Amino acid sequence: INLEGHDTPAFAMRASIFYCRQQYSEALADLEHAISQNPADAGSYLMRGKIFHTVGRDQDALKDYIQAIRLDDGLAEAYRGRGTIYSALGNYGPALDDLERAIELDPADGQAFLARGDTYAAMANHQRAMADYDEAIRLLPDHSKAYLNRGVAYHALAQLTEAIADYNRAISLSA
């Protein structure tokens, strides 16, 4: 795109299409340009953070989520992304803080409930994990991972009949 700096949102929009097509290198190149032209665009940092996380570059993703939040502290998805990475790093306190904030900003974000459930599960707090998985399933009734993870929580609590039911549902949704 040769827009001579007049329409840098086009780079971010094209990057979102590349992201959907799993063309991550192209998406990152467009986002680099969008950010260089408009370093105050929180959305570009958010999208680049998502891509970095997708390709396993979590430290880069974390930096971008932090920058996105600095620029716009109302981005629920940035809090969810940062919280997910903190959880994976074992930083459960900050992870829960971020995931709580994500849910506060967007109470219909089933992915945030799923991520918070995963954090509680990692902390072996299976009761709280199950409550979040229940909410994730309510919001995302066809999401196999929510059933799978709730099944794991049931299993950990020796509620084997419920675990099998959730495993079966996860399998049927994945087929």
Side-chain angles (χ1 to χ4, degrees):
I1 299 177
N2 183 8
L3 299 173
E4 299 174 11
H6 297 294
D7 195 13
T8 56
F11 286 96
M13 298 304 295
R14 187 171 71 175
S16 71
I17 293 170
F18 286 142
Y19 174 74
C20 290
R21 291 181 170 177
Q22 299 179 356
Q23 294 174 283
Y24 302 126
S25 297
E26 293 87 345
L28 288 171
D30 275 1
L31 289 168
E32 290 296 328
H33 183 81
I35 289 169
S36 73
Q37 294 298 309
N38 184 4
D41 179 22
S44 290
Y45 287 100
L46 171 62
M47 176 160 296
R48 192 172 69 176
K50 286 171 47 175
I51 294 168
F52 282 148
H53 180 65
T54 299
V55 300
R57 292 175 56 184
D58 283 348
Q59 290 302 320
D60 290 325
L62 192 57
K63 289 175 191 172
D64 276 354
Y65 289 139
I66 290 168
Q67 183 62 17
I69 291 166
R70 274 192 200 118
L71 294 169
D72 182 351
D73 67 354
L75 288 174
E77 194 173 358
Y79 284 100
R80 176 173 29 99
R82 188 173 73 175
T84 299
I85 292 172
Y86 282 154
S87 183
L89 295 172
N91 297 331
Y92 301 126
L96 288 173
D97 290 343
D98 277 355
L99 295 167
E100 301 270 345
R101 180 70 175 138
I103 290 167
E104 176 184 307
L105 290 168
D106 184 1
D109 182 0
Q111 293 288 341
F113 284 98
L114 183 61
R116 191 173 68 178
D118 291 346
T119 302
Y120 282 129
M123 299 168 64
N125 189 338
H126 301 293
Q127 290 290 350
R128 292 199 68 180
M130 278 195 339
D132 279 341
Y133 295 145
D134 287 343
E135 188 62 15
I137 289 167
R138 186 185 72 76
L139 295 166
L140 303 167
D142 296 326
H143 198 290
S144 64
K145 184 180 178 198
Y147 287 97
L148 173 65
N149 292 4
R150 188 175 69 177
V152 171
Y154 277 132
H155 197 160
L157 295 169
Q159 296 178 16
L160 303 182
T161 301
E162 292 85 351
I164 289 172
D166 275 355
Y167 294 150
N168 287 339
R169 181 72 174 138
I171 291 166
S172 70
L173 288 170
S174 296

